[in-house]
Coordinates of all heavy atoms in Angstrom, one line a residue:
E866 N 80.6 105.1 105.7 CA 79.3 105.8 105.7 C 78.2 105.1 106.3 O 77.3 105.6 106.9 CB 79.0 106.3 104.3 CG 80.0 107.3 103.7 CD 79.7 107.6 102.2 OE1 78.9 106.8 101.6 OE2 80.3 108.5 101.7
L884 N 105.5 93.1 109.3 CA 106.0 92.2 110.4 C 105.3 92.4 111.7 O 105.6 91.6 112.7 CB 107.5 92.6 110.6 CG 108.4 92.4 109.4 CD1 109.8 92.9 109.7 CD2 108.4 90.9 109.0
R885 N 104.3 93.3 111.8 CA 103.6 93.5 113.0 C 102.4 92.4 113.1 O 102.1 91.8 112.1 CB 103.0 94.9 113.1 CG 104.0 96.0 113.1 CD 103.3 97.3 113.1 NE 104.3 98.4 112.9 CZ 104.1 99.5 112.1 NH1 103.0 99.6 111.5 NH2 105.1 100.4 112.0
E886 N 101.9 92.3 114.3 CA 100.8 91.4 114.5 C 99.5 92.2 114.5 O 99.5 93.3 115.1 CB 100.9 90.6 115.8 CG 102.0 89.6 115.7 CD 102.0 88.7 117.0 OE1 101.3 88.9 117.9 OE2 102.9 87.7 117.0
F889 N 92.0 91.1 115.5 CA 90.6 91.6 115.3 C 89.6 90.9 116.2 O 90.0 89.9 116.8 CB 90.2 91.5 113.9 CG 91.2 92.3 112.9 CD1 92.3 91.6 112.4 CD2 90.9 93.6 112.6 CE1 93.2 92.3 111.5 CE2 91.8 94.3 111.7 CZ 92.9 93.6 111.2
Y930 N 94.3 93.3 89.4 CA 95.3 92.7 88.5 C 95.4 93.6 87.2 O 94.5 94.3 86.9 CB 94.8 91.3 88.1 CG 93.5 91.2 87.3 CD1 93.6 90.9 85.9 CD2 92.3 91.3 87.9 CE1 92.4 90.8 85.2 CE2 91.1 91.2 87.1 CZ 91.2 90.9 85.8 OH 90.0 90.8 85.0
D937 N 94.2 82.3 90.3 CA 93.8 81.7 91.6 C 94.0 82.7 92.7 O 93.8 82.3 93.9 CB 94.5 80.4 91.9 CG 94.3 79.4 90.8 OD1 93.3 79.4 90.2 OD2 95.3 78.6 90.5
G1005 N 88.6 80.3 90.6 CA 89.9 79.9 90.9 C 90.0 78.4 91.0 O 88.9 77.7 91.0
K1020 N 114.7 90.2 91.1 CA 114.9 90.8 89.8 C 115.9 91.8 89.9 O 116.3 92.3 91.0 CB 113.5 91.4 89.3 CG 112.4 90.3 89.1 CD 111.1 91.0 88.8 CE 110.1 89.9 88.5 NZ 109.9 88.9 89.6
D1051 N 121.5 98.4 94.4 CA 120.6 97.3 94.4 C 121.1 96.2 95.4 O 122.2 95.7 95.3 CB 120.5 96.7 93.0 CG 119.5 95.5 92.8 OD1 119.0 95.1 93.9 OD2 119.4 95.0 91.7
D1074 N 115.6 94.5 83.6 CA 115.5 93.1 83.8 C 114.9 92.5 82.5 O 113.9 92.9 82.0 CB 114.6 92.8 84.9 CG 114.6 91.3 85.3 OD1 113.9 90.6 84.6 OD2 115.3 90.9 86.3
R1083 N 104.8 90.6 75.9 CA 103.7 89.7 75.9 C 102.4 90.4 76.3 O 101.4 90.2 75.7 CB 104.0 88.5 76.8 CG 105.0 87.5 76.3 CD 105.0 86.2 77.0 NE 105.2 86.4 78.5 CZ 106.4 86.4 79.1 NH1 107.5 86.2 78.4 NH2 106.5 86.5 80.4
T1089 N 95.4 93.7 76.0 CA 94.9 95.1 76.0 C 93.3 95.2 75.8 O 92.8 96.2 75.9 CB 95.5 95.9 74.8 OG1 95.2 95.2 73.6 CG2 97.0 96.1 75.0
W1091 N 89.5 95.1 76.8 CA 88.8 95.6 78.0 C 88.3 94.4 78.9 O 87.7 93.5 78.4 CB 87.6 96.5 77.6 CG 87.0 97.1 78.8 CD1 85.9 96.6 79.5 CD2 87.3 98.3 79.5 NE1 85.6 97.4 80.6 CE2 86.4 98.5 80.6 CE3 88.3 99.3 79.3 CZ2 86.5 99.6 81.4 CZ3 88.4 100.3 80.1 CH2 87.5 100.5 81.2

Side-chain angles (χ1 to χ4, degrees):
E866 291 171 349
L884 298 178
R885 298 178 189 138
E886 293 187 353
F889 300 87
Y930 68 104
D937 303 328
K1020 298 171 173 57
D1051 182 354
D1074 187 281
R1083 290 194 300 271
T1089 56
W1091 183 269

